[in-house]
Amino acid sequence: IAHGSFDPWLSPNSTQALDLCTGGASLAVLLALAYPQLHIDASDISSQALEVAQINIERHGLQDRIHAFASDGLQHIKGVYDLIVCNPPWLPARASAPIERAIYDENSAMLKGFLAGLAQHLTPKGEGWLILSDLAEHLGLRSRAELEAWIAEGGLKVVGKLDTKAAHKKVQDKNDPLHAARAAEVTSLWRLAVK
C-alpha cells in the first residue's frame, strides 16, 4: 500500500483499526505506515504467527501503535473500529496441519463468521476490507453468489472493490494441475459497510 493509495477510502478521522488474521502483521504494518493516525489491533489464532508479527512490529518501531494478540475470529473481539481488515484463508477445505490454517478454512467457517459479525464491530461510518482470492470459485469450491449472499446476510453492502490478477510463477506453469484456475485467479479487496 503506497502512502495515500487509499486516501479516498479511509477518512482522516479514522483512528482505530483491526487486522483480523494478521499472520506476520504485514497489513497492520503497511496500514500504520500509510496512516499515522491509526492505532491498530492485530489478531491471529496462531501463536507462531503472532511471534513473527511482534518481530515485524518492533522492526518498524510501531509497538506504540500496533497491539498484537491471540484471537479466534471476530466473536472474541470486543469494541468497534473505524476499519477492520481481514485476509482470511482462501480455500474452503480442511487443514491437515496447523500451518495450513493460513490457506484452508473448513466450510468457509472463518469467512462466514467474519461477514456475520463485521457489522457489530464497525463504527457508524466504518468499513471492513475483505481481501480474498476467487481461486475457490474457479475450483468449484465456493460460488460468487454464496459470497454475495453471506455479505448481504451480514447486513453489509459493497461500497467498492479493487481487483488484481494473479502474477505469481504458477500462473505461467502449464504443467501445474491447477493451471487453468490459477491463470484465471483474481484477488479482490472488497470494501464493505453496514447497510
Side-chain angles (χ1 to χ4, degrees), residues 3-17:
H3 178 67
S5 61
F6 293 112
D7 280 349
W9 295 3
L10 190 60
S11 162
N13 298 324
S14 298
T15 59
Q16 300 299 319

Side-chain angles (χ1 to χ4, degrees), residues 1-10 30-31 34-35 129 162 189:
I1 301 172
H3 178 67
S5 61
F6 293 112
D7 280 349
W9 295 3
L10 190 60
L30 288 171
L31 285 168
Y35 299 106
W129 292 356
L162 179 65
L189 187 156

Side-chain angles (χ1 to χ4, degrees), residues 22-137:
T22 195
S26 299
L27 289 174
V29 167
L30 288 171
L31 285 168
L33 293 174
Y35 299 106
Q37 81 272 19
L38 282 181
H39 290 272
I40 302 163
D41 286 339
S43 74
D44 202 285
I45 190 172
S46 166
S47 58
Q48 292 90 348
L50 289 170
E51 288 175 21
V52 174
Q54 197 59 47
I55 291 168
N56 286 333
I57 291 165
E58 291 173 11
R59 181 178 292 148
H60 289 87
L62 294 167
Q63 54 271 37
D64 61 330
R65 294 189 36 230
I66 302 176
H67 168 64
F69 61 96
S71 175
D72 183 12
L74 273 178
Q75 68 270 24
H76 298 109
I77 300 290
K78 293 186 167 89
V80 294
Y81 296 88
D82 301 307
L83 174 65
I84 300 177
V85 178
C86 184
N87 180 12
W90 291 355
L91 296 176
R94 179 179 295 178
S96 60
I99 195 165
E100 291 182 350
R101 289 188 197 152
I103 301 166
Y104 299 117
D105 177 20
E106 190 171 2
N107 298 318
S108 297
M110 194 280 152
L111 175 58
K112 288 191 265 189
F114 170 72
L115 294 171
L118 180 60
Q120 302 159 22
H121 292 282
L122 289 175
T123 58
K125 293 186 179 180
E127 287 191 14
W129 292 356
L130 173 65
I131 300 166
L132 191 65
S133 161
D134 66 357
L135 185 60
E137 295 174 26

